[in-house]
Amino acid sequence: MENEIMKVLELVQEGKLSNSEAAEIISTLKEEAAPSAVGSDSYMSKSLKIIVDSDGDKVNVNLPLKLVKSLHGAIENIPAVQEHLGGADINLILDAISNNVEGPIVDVDSANGEIVKIVIE
């Protein structure tokens, strides 16, 4: 993309393009070079699913990834979150979201029958 932008700037210097034409072309080049943003939007429409089965209590939580990502710093400071994640590293979960990981992130079946699953779907 840098080569194309340089060529557009050269055409402006040579008087073959106006500043507004060059700005429009450069804007289009930048939009075409960023298709990953569209994929990211579809990824961010997914949910973080947390399933806990402990001593007969069953908890199912579905959180939109956009919400989880926006609460990034606050989540790790909520004691109840750490308590119910069965020792799962919240930073590992946040890194998985940042890297567009899908599927199971945490899958714990303890010896005393407790189950903790964290999945991005």
Side-chain angles (χ1 to χ4, degrees):
M1 179 177 78
E2 284 185 37
N3 291 337
E4 291 89 354
I5 292 174
M6 292 303 294
K7 181 65 176 168
V8 170
L9 294 175
E10 287 174 13
L11 292 172
V12 170
Q13 280 184 328
E14 296 170 2
K16 294 179 181 177
L17 281 177
S18 70
N19 288 342
S20 61
E21 291 171 324
E24 187 176 329
I25 292 169
I26 291 171
S27 175
T28 301
L29 287 170
K30 287 182 178 181
E31 286 175 11
E32 289 177 0
S36 61
V38 173
S40 180
D41 284 344
S42 66
Y43 177 77
M44 292 307 289
S45 68
K46 296 183 181 300
S47 292
L48 180 72
K49 298 182 182 222
I50 303 170
I51 302 138
V52 179
D53 187 350
S54 174
D55 297 326
D57 293 329
K58 294 185 179 188
V59 178
N60 291 314
V61 179
N62 294 319
L63 299 170
L65 290 183
K66 285 182 184 179
L67 175 65
V68 174
K69 194 163 184 166
S70 68
L71 295 175
H72 178 330
I75 286 178
E76 48 193 19
N77 295 322
I78 301 172
V81 170
Q82 286 298 333
E83 178 185 338
H84 292 293
L85 288 180
D89 184 357
I90 192 72
N91 290 316
L92 172 72
I93 296 165
L94 294 170
D95 285 344
I97 292 169
S98 295
N99 291 305
N100 294 354
V101 172
E102 292 186 46
I105 300 172
V106 175
D107 191 356
V108 177
D109 291 317
S110 70
N112 61 357
E114 293 181 343
I115 298 171
V116 177
K117 295 183 187 292
I118 302 174
V119 181
I120 297 177
E121 295 182 327

